[in-house]
Amino acid sequence: MNEFGGGVAILFRESLTHKRIQLERHELAKAEPKFTVSNSDIDEMELLFSEHLEKQCNFYICGDFNIHMEDTNNTQIKKFQNLLKRLSLRELVNGPTRGKARLDLIITNDNDENTQHKVDSMINTRGVWTVKKQLIDNKAQKIDIDPDTLNNYYCSVSNESTLTPCPSKPPNFPFSSKSTFTFKPVDYKILISQFRKLKNSSKTQPDITGLSPLMLKLTIGSPNVISGILNIINKSLLESQFPENLKTSVITPIPKQNDATEPIHFRPVAAQPFLSLLIEKCAHNQIMTYLSEHNILYQGQFGFRPFHSCETAMIALIDSVHNQINLGNICILVSLDLSKAFDVLVREFLLEKLRWYGIDPKWFSAYLSYRSQVVKGANGKLSHVKFTIHGCPQGSVIGPLIFCVYVNDLPLLNPTSWLYKTGW
């Protein structure tokens, strides 16, 4: 407590998963409510945030900051917002907390998009103060299982042998392969445009190659840097090559339940090298343009496509059901979930299907061959590298599009029925 009657208390249930971390003492310029922020305050906050980031765990900083975050024209507020962006931190409170002012903040390094939606929903129904008291880090559960054990388990799915012969083009295949696709060189403007569309470009933590997304973001305007990157991308696209050191995925196991002790209890979340994502983004842009111009993707494919979503799939489905009911027909809906769909994709089958659509598969063969992965365990310990023979990499830019092409001919098995496909 201080002479103005203010103070902070933290109350939590002993059953909640948490850990105590030791931090240095930080003091702002004044103790009384200020309703503004000074340069010295921003410098002190940067030290505080950086100290939290060094602990390498997800955190939430909740409190009455007493600064008007809604005043986006204020120079000091802009500096504070730039600080958060530079450190890859997010402010989860979007609306006013007192009157029209947004003075109470929740700042976190948790970049899970679901967190924002959950917090928004909680704030709308319970209020910002209740949310502050209820926020906990559900991902802080200790992982006691050996990362090599997890990697062996995850790879066992992708390395199962298949005796299914390579498929032949269906006799009712509607696309004529007179049109062909080959990659075109990428120029400076396209590279910058695609780079800006990448998520997490302000992330400070380096990937498995040692490259930090923020490092590339701050230097990509340099002529030497951008010419080097353009050379890598164009060499990849035009010569059908893909750098071997960009083919390793880093998998973070996320517990599905509180008492996770077996490999099946952990959900694998894969991350790809950032430069790999940039190459894929440039490739994806050209391939999607080709598929769209020639109407190759099945019209019932609502997943992983621009201007398509679960909502548009539901609208189309309901409209189709209504039309059939009006015609006096009986409608039967079968809903299926494909388990480990990306992991069991047979790469040779994909390359053959690409040929059906007039797409040269050489680049895809280079991209998918000799893929490897490691699992990040407790304290950042990495497992041994293991290679996979099936599947397309999760957490990638082009993986979802690859899967769309892979299953695109599925509706031809029963042309009289409609198949609605959404993202998994």
Side-chain angles (χ1 to χ4, degrees):
M1 298 292 289
N2 58 42
E3 60 182 305
F4 300 98
V8 176
I10 301 176
L11 303 177
F12 59 90
R13 298 185 182 91
E14 292 184 355
S15 60
L16 297 182
T17 302
H18 65 281
K19 69 177 181 179
R20 180 170 299 190
I21 58 177
Q22 184 65 39
L23 299 172
E24 297 294 331
R25 181 176 178 179
H26 296 270
E27 294 183 1
L28 298 180
K30 297 180 181 179
E32 66 267 19
K34 302 167 56 178
F35 301 105
T36 186
V37 60
S38 65
N39 287 329
S40 60
D41 289 337
I42 294 176
D43 293 339
E44 193 68 27
M45 288 181 186
E46 181 171 5
L47 292 175
L48 175 64
F49 296 152
S50 299
E51 194 174 348
H52 277 75
L53 289 169
E54 289 176 359
K55 302 299 179 180
Q56 296 186 344
C57 61
N58 285 347
F59 59 81
Y60 296 87
I61 299 178
C62 314
D64 178 5
F65 282 63
N66 262 337
I67 55 178
H68 282 271
M69 290 295 288
E70 79 283 357
D71 186 8
T72 55
N73 294 322
N74 185 288
T75 302
Q76 298 304 104
I77 297 299
K78 288 181 179 179
K79 287 184 179 180
F80 182 67
Q81 291 174 333
N82 288 334
L83 168 64
L84 298 180
K85 186 175 182 180
R86 179 157 49 85
L87 297 180
S88 297
L89 300 176
R90 295 197 299 162
E91 209 290 286
L92 300 181
V93 181
N94 292 322
T97 59
R98 274 180 283 173
K100 296 182 179 180
R102 180 154 61 101
L103 306 175
D104 310 291
L105 311 180
I106 300 174
I107 297 172
T108 181
N109 66 333
D110 186 352
N111 287 315
D112 187 349
E113 292 297 329
N114 291 327
T115 301
Q116 181 72 64
H117 299 305
K118 291 178 182 177
V119 170
D120 286 344
S121 176
M122 292 168 66
I123 290 175
N124 290 335
T125 56
R126 307 175 194 175
V128 66
W129 286 99
T130 302
V131 173
K132 285 182 181 180
K133 291 186 289 185
Q134 294 184 346
L135 269 177
I136 60 170
D137 187 359
N138 292 322
K139 299 183 182 67
Q141 181 177 339
K142 185 177 179 180
I143 301 175
D144 291 325
I145 193 167
D146 180 60
D148 281 302
T149 301
L150 284 170
N151 205 18
N152 291 335
Y153 171 74
Y154 295 143
C155 285
S156 66
V157 177
S158 298
N159 289 339
E160 289 183 2
S161 60
T162 176
L163 300 177
T164 307
C166 192
S168 301
K169 185 188 296 186
N172 57 341
F173 192 73
F175 179 76
S176 171
S177 57
K178 292 180 181 180
S179 301
T180 57
F181 170 81
T182 54
F183 285 109
K184 300 176 182 177
V186 174
D187 60 21
Y188 170 86
K189 291 183 179 180
I190 294 176
L191 172 58
I192 295 298
S193 173
Q194 297 306 312
F195 180 83
R196 288 173 177 170
K197 295 178 182 178
L198 284 174
K199 298 179 180 179
N200 298 326
S201 62
S202 297
K203 190 175 181 181
T204 57
Q205 185 175 0
D207 59 25
I208 193 170
T209 68
L211 176 65
S212 163
L214 180 61
M215 182 194 308
L216 185 56
K217 182 178 182 179
L218 295 175
T219 58
I220 196 170
S222 167
N224 291 335
V225 173
I226 196 166
S227 62
I229 295 175
L230 274 174
N231 182 55
I232 293 173
I233 294 175
N234 285 324
K235 189 175 183 65
S236 173
L237 298 181
L238 302 181
E239 299 182 16
S240 298
Q241 301 179 20
F242 203 85
E244 297 296 325
N245 64 334
L246 300 183
K247 293 184 180 182
T248 302
S249 306
V250 178
I251 296 177
T252 301
I254 304 299
K256 300 178 184 178
Q257 56 194 62
N258 292 332
D259 55 344
T261 55
E262 300 295 329
I264 197 174
H265 297 157
F266 294 87
R267 178 180 293 104
V269 176
Q272 305 301 324
F274 190 72
L275 188 54
S276 172
L277 300 179
L278 184 55
I279 299 175
E280 295 175 47
K281 194 72 175 176
C282 295
H284 182 282
N285 179 54
Q286 296 188 33
I287 299 166
M288 180 57 80
T289 299
Y290 173 79
L291 295 176
S292 300
E293 288 178 350
H294 294 85
N295 296 317
I296 291 176
L297 293 181
Y298 174 60
Q299 59 181 322
Q301 172 61 267
F302 290 89
F304 315 121
R305 296 179 64 184
F307 311 112
H308 292 70
S309 63
C310 290
E311 288 79 5
T312 55
M314 290 299 299
I315 292 172
L317 173 62
I318 293 171
D319 183 64
S320 176
V321 170
H322 282 170
N323 289 339
Q324 294 302 315
I325 291 176
N326 291 335
L327 294 174
N329 296 327
I330 297 175
C331 295
I332 299 176
L333 173 65
V334 179
S335 181
L336 302 175
D337 180 22
L338 301 182
S339 176
K340 304 186 185 304
F342 280 33
D343 296 330
V344 297
L345 178 148
V346 181
R347 295 167 184 171
E348 293 77 11
F349 293 2
L350 169 72
L351 302 181
E352 174 62 22
K353 291 185 177 185
L354 287 169
R355 295 187 184 95
W356 298 354
Y357 300 108
I359 300 175
D360 188 340
K362 291 180 182 178
W363 183 86
F364 293 89
S365 178
Y367 173 75
L368 292 172
S369 62
Y370 302 105
R371 302 291 313 189
S372 60
Q373 63 185 50
V374 295
V375 172
K376 182 187 291 186
N379 301 320
K381 178 185 176 183
L382 295 179
S383 68
H384 291 91
V385 177
K386 289 189 71 70
F387 288 85
T388 59
I389 60 175
H390 296 317
C392 60
Q394 298 195 43
S396 62
V397 171
I398 209 162
L401 182 58
I402 286 176
F403 189 79
C404 284
V405 174
Y406 188 71
V407 299
N408 196 54
D409 62 306
L410 188 59
L412 297 178
L413 296 174
N414 189 354
T416 60
S417 297
W418 260 85
L419 180 66
Y420 297 88
K421 294 179 284 184
T422 58
W424 289 272

